[in-house]
Amino acid sequence: MKTKLKTSTLVILMVVAIAVTIYTLSPFFLVLINVFKNANGIVANPVGFEGMSFSQLTTNLSKVINNSNFSFWSAFGTSAVITIISLVLLALFGGMASWVISRNMAKHNTKKWAVVIYMTFIASMTIPFQVVMLPLISTFRDVGKFVGLPLLQSIPGIVFAYMGFGGAMTVFVLTGFIKGIPFALEEAASIDGCPHEGIYFRIILPMLKPPLTTVTILNGMWIWNDYLLPSLMLGQNGKVKTLPVAVQAFVGSYVKQWDLILTAALLAMIPMIILFFFAQKQIMGGMVDGAVK
């Protein structure tokens, strides 16, 4: 009886897993089959295989890459620069903040401020972006005028915004991991005369590689694919555009070039797909290590 129950349960779980997989991959499937069609073929039958050809794919790729309004390589470079700089700064400052918060939270009797700061980070994760997006734009505009540095329609401004929105999750994950690192290692290094900076960069940072890799990859996929924040801060008509924002060049008031839109979307997805396939072991390893810690 138990064997039958287990078998039926496994079958049900398998069916549910397959259904969820199909539902999750269906948008990617639609993009993949429609990049082989022209605009008329997509409108006529977006879910069918009729009209697909490799020559049409080559034509679509050529139109997207060589389109003067889209500026593929410029948008690709902008997305890469913003993503890389944001990830480096998030890893650097997020790791240091997590270390300080974690060690001072252990002294909660005298360091209650660390608990308050940590809970502030956690609370910020529950605030939807839509609630703060309009005040954010207004604040960045005023601060930019005050300091004399444009924070809107500029790479430094959007990098600063990503540090703020991505810092909460980074600190949350890394703080939990650092709690499991024995404090005796730092005490031994301090007795040997190692400064605080050396303790972090020589002892703590190398041990943070698994969770830091996981957080960096997750933040990287989020920043690379993000549309709403760049569209607000960089604008649709600005000189600085990321790939998701630049795709708007193919969307007009009356005509939508679906063949070029989907081809550009596929080109934007390829780097993240490659990254995930090569780094999926690190992602799962970082999650498991964090859970064990």
Side-chain angles (χ1 to χ4, degrees):
M1 187 66 180
K2 291 183 178 180
T3 304
K4 291 182 178 179
L5 287 175
K6 289 182 178 180
T7 303
S8 60
T9 302
L10 289 176
V11 171
I12 294 173
L13 291 176
M14 183 64 69
V15 172
V16 172
I18 293 174
V20 172
T21 302
I22 294 174
Y23 176 76
T24 303
L25 294 179
S26 57
F28 179 73
F29 170 76
L30 291 175
V31 171
L32 192 60
I33 65 173
N34 285 308
V35 295
F36 292 90
K37 305 177 185 178
N38 56 26
N40 293 330
I42 295 174
V43 174
N45 189 3
V47 297
F49 296 95
E50 297 83 0
M52 295 177 59
S53 66
F54 283 98
S55 60
Q56 186 60 49
L57 172 63
T58 304
T59 302
N60 292 341
L61 290 173
S62 177
K63 288 181 179 180
V64 169
I65 294 176
N66 299 319
N67 192 292
S68 58
N69 294 325
F70 179 58
S71 301
F72 171 77
W73 294 114
S74 175
F76 185 91
T78 300
S79 292
V81 169
I82 291 174
T83 302
I84 292 173
I85 294 177
S86 300
L87 293 179
V88 170
L89 294 179
L90 278 171
L92 178 63
F93 293 111
M96 290 190 289
S98 301
W99 179 51
V100 174
I101 291 173
S102 176
R103 292 315 186 202
N104 283 281
M105 282 178 61
K107 307 173 184 177
H108 60 275
N109 292 328
T110 57
K111 303 291 185 180
K112 293 183 179 180
W113 58 267
V115 179
V116 173
I117 293 177
Y118 180 69
M119 296 307 299
T120 302
F121 274 109
I122 302 303
S124 66
M125 296 174 62
T126 64
I127 302 175
F129 173 74
Q130 291 78 3
V131 175
V132 300
M133 61 182 185
L134 294 181
L136 175 73
I137 300 303
S138 177
T139 301
F140 269 52
R141 183 184 297 110
D142 295 339
V143 172
K145 292 179 181 179
F146 179 77
V147 300
L149 179 67
L151 296 180
L152 297 179
Q153 297 185 352
S154 67
I155 292 179
I158 195 169
V159 168
F160 187 74
Y162 277 129
M163 288 179 61
F165 287 108
M169 187 188 74
T170 304
V171 170
F172 172 71
V173 174
L174 296 183
T175 299
F177 186 88
I178 293 175
K179 288 179 180 179
I181 299 177
F183 188 67
L185 296 175
E186 300 173 35
E187 291 179 334
S190 180
I191 292 173
D192 290 338
C194 185
H196 289 291
E197 297 82 2
I199 292 175
Y200 175 74
F201 286 104
R202 296 178 184 177
I203 299 176
I204 301 299
L205 187 58
M207 300 181 70
L208 287 179
K209 183 180 178 180
L212 199 57
T213 301
T214 301
V215 171
T216 300
I217 293 173
L218 294 177
N219 281 332
M221 290 191 292
W222 158 57
I223 294 173
W224 181 270
N225 295 320
D226 189 28
Y227 170 78
L228 186 54
L229 182 59
S231 65
L232 290 172
M233 294 198 61
L234 302 179
Q236 301 291 341
N237 301 319
K239 295 181 179 179
V240 181
K241 292 182 180 180
T242 60
L243 271 175
V245 176
V247 174
Q248 286 289 112
F250 302 128
V251 180
S253 300
Y254 303 101
V255 178
K256 294 179 175 60
Q257 299 170 283
W258 286 112
D259 51 343
L260 304 186
I261 293 173
L262 297 177
T263 303
L266 179 65
L267 290 174
M269 287 189 291
I270 288 175
M272 291 298 103
I273 294 174
I274 295 174
L275 175 63
F276 179 79
F277 275 115
F278 279 99
Q280 56 182 332
K281 290 184 179 179
Q282 285 78 5
I283 294 177
M284 298 307 299
M287 291 181 177
V288 172
D289 289 342
V292 172
K293 290 290 183 179

